[in-house]
Amino acid sequence: MDDHHDDPHAPRDGRSAKRILDAEGLRRALSRIAHEILERHGGTADLVLVGMRSRGVPIARRLADLIGRFEGITLDVGELDVTMFRDDLEMRGTRPSLQPSSIPRDLTDARVVLVDDVLYTGRTVRAALDALMSYGRASQVQLAVVVDRGHRELPVRADYVGKNLPTARDENVEVRLVEVDGVDEVVLLSPRSAYSPSSAVEVPTSRLRAHPADTASGGADSAPSFPEQMPQ
C-alpha cells in the first residue's frame, strides 16, 4: 500500500507502508489456520481459543466462527489481558491500561490455543502463559498468530502461522481488522530512507576535473598501472 495522503489508514509519521495481505488474503490465512487447528486436534472436544488483547480477541472470534461453521458447533472463546504479567512494566514508566480478562471455563485439562496478531520477541506470549496459569492446568497450550515477523528473544514458536514475514528491527507490522480499524489488511511500516533517488543531483561530466596524475597517464579514463611484481 502506497503512503498517499488521501488514504485514511496511511501512516502520518514519515514511515512508508506496504500492504502484505489484503482482506481476501487475511481471510484465506485465517481459514487455513482454522482447518489446521481442527486437523491437529481431531475435533473440538475440550478445545478453547483464547485471544490476547487487543487484536488477538477478534481474531480468536473469527477462528471460532470458522471452526464452528466447519463442525456445526459453538466454540468457547476467552479474552486474556497480559499487562500485569509483562516483564517491561518498569521500563515503560507509565501507568498500565488494564482490560478485564474473560475465560469461559476452568482450563484444567483443556486444550488451549492462544491467539495473537503478530509474534515478535516472544515476551508477550511468555506473559500470556503466566496469566493462563490462574485459570487451571491446561493439558496443552498452542499458539496461533497471523504474522510471525521473527527476531525472537525467548524460545517461543507458533504452532499456526498465517504469514511468515522477514522484517528489520526498525520496521513494524500492523494487522488491521474491521472490528478495530475499519479495514482488513496486514501492513508493513518501514522508516523512510534519508536518501532517495529523486533527491540525488546529477553532476555534468564537463564539471568533473581529472587528477593531474590521470592526465599525465592518458586521461581520467585510463586504467591505473601497477608494478609487475609486488615487493617482498
Side-chain angles (χ1 to χ4, degrees):
M1 182 182 67
D2 294 330
D3 183 10
H4 294 308
H5 291 294
D6 56 357
D7 179 0
H9 303 287
R12 308 296 182 183
D13 57 358
R15 293 179 296 176
S16 62
K18 178 182 179 182
R19 179 182 289 137
I20 304 301
L21 293 176
D22 59 10
E24 178 59 20
L26 180 57
R27 185 198 65 79
R28 287 197 302 267
L30 294 180
S31 180
R32 184 174 67 253
I33 290 174
H35 279 292
E36 290 176 357
I37 291 173
L38 278 174
E39 289 172 3
R40 295 194 196 181
H41 285 269
T44 59
D46 295 320
L47 181 63
V48 180
L49 301 187
V50 176
M52 298 161 59
R53 291 189 177 275
S54 59
R55 283 171 174 77
V57 172
I59 295 170
R61 289 174 181 160
R62 291 196 195 186
L63 290 173
D65 182 63
L66 288 167
I67 293 173
R69 281 188 279 164
F70 298 154
E71 297 292 294
I73 52 93
T74 300
L75 194 63
D76 290 334
V77 178
E79 303 176 8
L80 189 65
D81 183 273
V82 306
T83 302
M84 296 307 299
F85 295 88
R86 297 185 63 91
D87 60 5
D88 59 355
L89 285 179
E90 294 183 359
M91 298 169 57
R92 296 192 171 203
T94 57
R95 186 172 183 176
S97 175
L98 302 179
Q99 298 180 359
S101 294
S102 175
I103 306 299
R105 51 163 287 187
D106 179 18
L107 295 182
T108 300
D109 295 328
R111 295 181 296 171
V112 177
V113 178
L114 278 172
V115 181
D116 204 4
D117 54 351
V118 179
L119 176 58
Y120 184 27
T121 63
R123 293 183 179 275
T124 301
V125 176
R126 197 275 318 157
L129 291 172
D130 284 351
L132 276 181
M133 297 303 103
S134 305
Y135 299 95
R137 189 176 186 273
S139 64
Q140 183 183 41
V141 179
Q142 294 181 322
L143 176 63
V145 298
V146 176
V147 177
D148 183 346
R149 61 164 295 185
H151 302 289
R152 214 75 77 242
E153 295 176 359
L154 297 176
V156 173
R157 181 181 62 86
D159 301 275
Y160 312 98
V161 179
K163 177 76 174 178
N164 286 292
L165 181 65
T167 63
R169 284 276 188 177
D170 59 357
E171 294 177 320
N172 289 322
V173 177
E174 290 187 358
V175 177
R176 299 172 178 173
L177 304 171
V178 167
E179 298 92 329
V180 181
D181 310 289
V183 63
D184 276 346
E185 62 183 3
V186 176
V187 174
L188 176 66
L189 301 176
S190 305
R192 290 194 183 278
S193 173
Y195 169 84
S196 63
S198 61
S199 64
V201 178
E202 182 177 353
V203 180
T205 56
S206 60
R207 293 175 57 188
L208 296 176
R209 295 184 178 179
H211 191 276
D214 293 330
T215 305
S217 60
D221 293 333
S222 298
S225 59
F226 297 94
E228 294 182 0
Q229 182 177 355
M230 296 295 293
Q232 298 298 320

